[in-house]
């Protein structure tokens, strides 16, 4: 199974029964802890229906990380798919979001690190974004934390070894 298909499986399995500000706080803190354990730094943003519920810019991040969060979040808010999946799909099709939708790169980034916040039986209601690691790592830390939080086996959801 390739990364695009694996991300589709992640999006299918990593869904919440319910979500609120308390859930966002727990998720955000789990992400912060996971990134710290990697000896890394990132900006973390969780929004639901356009409302910010959690934001933390770790020491060592810059306003550029916040800009990447915004641009990746715009992709998920527009297409309801992981920004990494969209980027991989566009790469496979040898095209860009600008070519497909006419959007400006200054407002959209099809790089890994924004995952749709999905409620079962409702669909995408928000976004979970990390910016500061390499794009695949931004994506993978979100998936690992969600898998743990939602009691899903990470072994079935983790991306394979990247192809060179």
């Amino acid at each position: 199974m390739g990364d695009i298909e694996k991300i589709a499986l992640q999006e299918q399995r990593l869904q919440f029964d319910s979500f609120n500000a308390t859930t966002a706080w727990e998720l955000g803190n789990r992400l912060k802890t996971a990134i710290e354990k990697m000896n890394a730094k990132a900006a973390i943003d969780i929004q639901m229906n356009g409302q910010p519920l959690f934001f933390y810019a770790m020491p060592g991040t810059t306003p550029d990380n916040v800009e990447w969060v915004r641009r990746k979040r715009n992709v998920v808010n527009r297409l309801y798919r992981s920004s990494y999946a969209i980027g991989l799909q566009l790469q496979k099709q040898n095209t860009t979001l600008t070519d497909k939708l006419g959007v400006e790169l200054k407002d959209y980034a099809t790089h890994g690190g924004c995952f749709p916040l999905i409620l079962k039986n409702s669909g995408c209601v928000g976004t979970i974004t990390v910016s500061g690691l390499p794009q695949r790592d931004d994506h993978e830390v979100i998936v690992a934390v969600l898998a743990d939080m939602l009691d899903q086996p990470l072994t079935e959801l983790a991306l394979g070894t990247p192809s060179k």
Side-chain angles (χ1 to χ4, degrees), residues 1-163:
M1 180 181 298
D3 283 357
I4 294 170
E5 295 80 16
K6 185 69 74 144
I7 295 169
L9 180 64
Q10 293 168 351
E11 293 168 352
Q12 178 186 5
R13 294 242 190 112
L14 299 176
Q15 299 185 14
F16 289 85
D17 292 320
S18 63
F19 197 89
N20 58 33
T22 303
T23 316
W25 182 257
E26 180 185 349
L27 175 57
N29 279 292
R30 285 178 180 224
L31 285 165
K32 176 185 175 288
T33 299
I35 294 165
E36 287 171 340
K37 285 181 181 175
M38 299 166 67
N39 291 316
K41 57 187 181 280
I44 304 164
D45 179 79
I46 302 170
Q47 295 197 11
M48 184 173 177
N49 298 321
Q51 179 178 352
L53 297 179
F54 182 95
F55 181 83
Y56 183 68
M58 299 173 82
T61 59
T62 69
D64 197 44
N65 295 107
V66 179
E67 186 62 12
W68 276 97
V69 164
R70 180 188 69 81
R71 293 172 61 220
K72 291 190 253 187
R73 186 177 60 227
N74 284 346
V75 170
V76 176
N77 281 332
R78 177 130 181 189
L79 300 171
Y80 304 141
R81 295 283 325 274
S82 160
S83 58
Y84 194 42
I86 298 299
L88 292 172
Q89 189 66 47
L90 291 170
Q91 184 178 28
K92 183 177 178 181
Q93 296 169 349
N94 198 30
T95 189
T96 67
L97 209 54
T98 300
D99 291 340
K100 284 195 87 112
L101 301 178
V103 299
E104 297 287 334
L105 290 180
K106 68 181 178 64
D107 290 320
Y108 291 84
T110 56
H111 295 268
C114 189
F115 197 88
L117 172 55
I118 303 170
L119 287 183
K120 291 178 185 172
N121 304 316
S122 294
C124 181
V125 297
T127 55
I128 305 155
T129 314
V130 169
S131 174
L133 310 170
Q135 66 168 332
R136 187 179 177 94
D137 296 342
D138 278 347
H139 177 85
E140 288 186 310
V141 73
I142 295 169
V143 168
V145 169
L146 285 174
D148 181 61
M149 192 170 178
L150 297 169
D151 294 321
Q152 290 290 321
L154 185 58
T155 54
E156 295 175 15
L157 298 175
L159 298 178
T161 305
S163 56

